[in-house]
Amino acid sequence: MKRIAIFPGSFDPFTIGHEEIVRRGLSMFDKVIVAIGKNSTKQTMHSLEKRMELIEKVFAEESRVEVDFYEGLTINYCEEKGAKYLLRGLRTASDFEYERAIAQMNKNLDNTVESVFLLTAPEHTPICSTIVRDIFNHEGDISEFLPTNITMDDLR
Ligand code: ADP
């Protein structure tokens, strides 16, 4: 059976930290689905379509990465896709506390899906979409926080 992992998030925008987690995930899983959780109440910098387009560009050469979106419970989406793993990145202790609660609740909802956590590379620890977005909105240079083949022009 194929090992499929879902990497869920808002990815607004997708950063080099996210990219690294997906690439490392590919060494463990046959397929990684980067799935944007659609949240109609959340104000985002980029539309769902734009975010998907940018992530697709990052992994254009990688056939084992799929880009998708979902609504509702992540665990229901896992079942729909036949995924038995949820991939998440950990930067700090506060990430851990947040992720722990979600993973334990997900386990409660579906005992057959495992959450797998990868510690971020040290140099990616301070990178988070909210701050990157803020810098970008104030015309700061965020190029070093973006995946290698994404430029600031792509974000405009
Ligand atoms: P969410 O809306 O769930 O917070 P994000 O898009 O912020 O989604 O993040 C999705 C996943 O990527 C989360 O597991 C988060 O911890 C992880 N992540 C975010 N930034 C980084 C980073 N710089 N390094 C490693 N993992 C990261």
Side-chain angles (χ1 to χ4, degrees):
M1 208 171 86
K2 264 186 154 190
R3 285 172 176 261
I4 303 172
I6 307 285
F7 182 48
S10 313
F11 309 123
D12 190 40
F14 196 82
T15 68
I16 195 169
H18 295 129
E19 180 188 12
E20 190 222 353
I21 298 296
V22 174
R23 295 206 187 278
R24 282 164 59 199
L26 287 171
S27 67
M28 292 183 288
F29 306 108
D30 299 308
K31 182 176 180 177
V32 175
I33 304 175
V34 182
I36 303 178
K38 198 174 165 191
N39 183 344
S40 48
T41 60
K42 206 168 166 182
Q43 196 59 31
T44 55
M45 171 170 87
H46 286 136
S47 66
L48 179 66
E49 293 73 22
K50 175 79 178 176
R51 281 177 280 161
M52 287 182 68
E53 185 193 301
L54 288 170
I55 305 168
E56 269 157 9
K57 188 174 178 204
V58 176
F59 299 108
E61 310 287 314
E62 186 45 82
S63 60
R64 293 190 299 132
V65 174
E66 181 184 322
V67 184
D68 195 13
F69 72 94
Y70 68 98
E71 283 181 275
L73 289 179
T74 309
I75 215 77
N76 291 347
Y77 177 70
C78 286
E79 193 186 347
E80 191 188 306
K81 300 301 274 187
K84 289 290 167 202
Y85 304 93
L86 268 168
L87 179 62
R88 297 287 284 178
L90 286 181
R91 287 162 295 187
T92 58
S94 67
D95 266 3
F96 171 76
E97 276 307 320
Y98 175 72
E99 296 292 343
R100 180 189 56 75
I102 295 178
Q104 289 174 336
M105 290 304 268
N106 279 335
K107 193 81 182 153
N108 220 278
L109 293 168
D110 186 341
N111 193 30
T112 69
V113 174
E114 292 294 345
S115 291
V116 176
F117 303 98
L118 290 180
L119 285 179
T120 189
E123 65 273 24
H124 295 158
T125 307
I127 304 173
C128 78
S129 294
T130 314
I131 301 177
V132 169
R133 201 163 60 227
D134 261 14
I135 299 173
F136 182 72
N137 286 337
H138 292 92
E139 272 110 58
D141 185 357
I142 56 161
S143 35
E144 70 177 290
F145 309 127
L146 300 177
T148 8
N149 65 347
I150 299 290
T151 65
M152 282 175 55
D153 277 341
D154 292 321
L155 262 58
R156 291 192 178 106

